[in-house]
């Protein structure tokens, strides 16, 4: 099991046309990496956000992921 906490700066990341990533886009990054280690999931999500948003993100970005056994 995993617990994921994030700030709205992540889902408000914009692509080159100004379209926000949104919760569904964020969930897609997370779902594609769900079986990786917590470190790899964070790297995958952050890489996806950086690929999606070519410009600097305007808001704060915090992402906390905890794996629970």
């Amino acid at each position: 099991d995993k617990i994921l906490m994030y700030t709205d700066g992540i889902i408000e990341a914009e692509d080159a046309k100004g379209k926000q990533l949104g919760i569904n886009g964020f969930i897609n990054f997370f779902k594609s990496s769900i079986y990786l280690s917590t470190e790899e999931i964070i790297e995958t999500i952050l890489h996806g956000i950086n690929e999606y948003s070519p410009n600097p993100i305007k808001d704060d970005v915090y992402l906390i992921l905890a794996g629970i056994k």
Side-chain angles (χ1 to χ4, degrees), residues 2 26-38 40-46 65:
K2 294 175 178 51
F26 176 63
I27 288 171
N28 287 336
F29 291 144
F30 185 63
K31 283 175 28 178
S32 69
S33 62
I34 193 70
Y35 295 108
L36 300 175
S37 70
T38 53
E40 291 171 318
I41 292 172
I42 295 290
E43 289 175 14
T44 300
I45 292 171
L46 293 177
L65 178 65

Side-chain angles (χ1 to χ4, degrees), residues 2-13 20-30 41-42 45-46 49 57 59-66:
K2 294 175 178 51
I3 296 175
L4 178 66
M5 295 175 277
Y6 61 92
T7 57
D8 62 346
I10 291 176
I11 60 175
E12 292 174 354
Q20 289 188 351
L21 176 64
I23 188 70
N24 290 329
F26 176 63
I27 288 171
N28 287 336
F29 291 144
F30 185 63
I41 292 172
I42 295 290
I45 292 171
L46 293 177
I49 292 167
I57 296 174
D59 201 356
D60 60 327
V61 172
Y62 288 94
L63 186 60
I64 300 170
L65 178 65

Side-chain angles (χ1 to χ4, degrees), residues 10-22 25 29 45-55:
I10 291 176
I11 60 175
E12 292 174 354
E14 297 178 348
D15 67 7
K17 295 180 181 179
K19 181 182 176 197
Q20 289 188 351
L21 176 64
F29 291 144
I45 292 171
L46 293 177
H47 178 74
I49 292 167
N50 287 330
E51 289 279 315
Y52 183 83
S53 183
N55 300 317

